[in-house]
Amino acid sequence: MSALVCVRDGEAELAACLRSLGFCDEIVVVLDRGAEGAREAARRAGAHVVDGIFPLPSQARVAGAEVCTGDWVLEIEPDEQVDRALAWEIRAALQMRPQGDWFEIPIDNYVGETLVRQGWTGALGADRGCVWPGAG
């Protein structure tokens, strides 16, 4: 399994993100106009680094995916981390030889202290199970 991290401005959190990906077989970091600090953090983590200027985020993803050698690619943002429980769950799911070509991994998003379910647009409908502060 490969981990893919595309970095444009997430240098500050990148080292912690990369440390959380130790369960992956390889880590690929795409540096879009990357700063030297991000490059050094990626190299310290043993990641394969792809440098470039990518006008669109999708172009950075494609450049990184072309380098990934794993049968599965976990794309993660540089400000995110995979805890031990999720790492175990991912590995267990892949061991069961899944059908299909993608998995949806449920995540919790927080705006301040407020948990936002169903993504950032969760508050747009009453059936989304999310109540924003001040929403009546």
Side-chain angles (χ1 to χ4, degrees), residues 11 14 31 33-44 49 51:
E11 179 182 345
L14 181 61
L31 297 176
R33 302 172 191 106
E36 194 58 38
R39 184 175 291 102
E40 182 57 31
R43 289 204 173 115
R44 273 195 310 265
V49 177
D51 281 301

Side-chain angles (χ1 to χ4, degrees), residues 12 21 29 31 33 58 79 86 103 107 109 116 125-126:
L21 298 174
V29 175
L31 297 176
R33 302 172 191 106
S58 60
D79 63 344
L86 179 56
F103 277 105
I107 61 171
N109 291 308
V116 180

Side-chain angles (χ1 to χ4, degrees), residues 1-3 25-28 64-74:
M1 181 173 64
S2 302
D25 300 314
E26 76 173 338
I27 301 171
V28 174
E66 289 176 348
V67 174
C68 291
T69 61
D71 290 336
W72 288 90
V73 177
L74 171 66

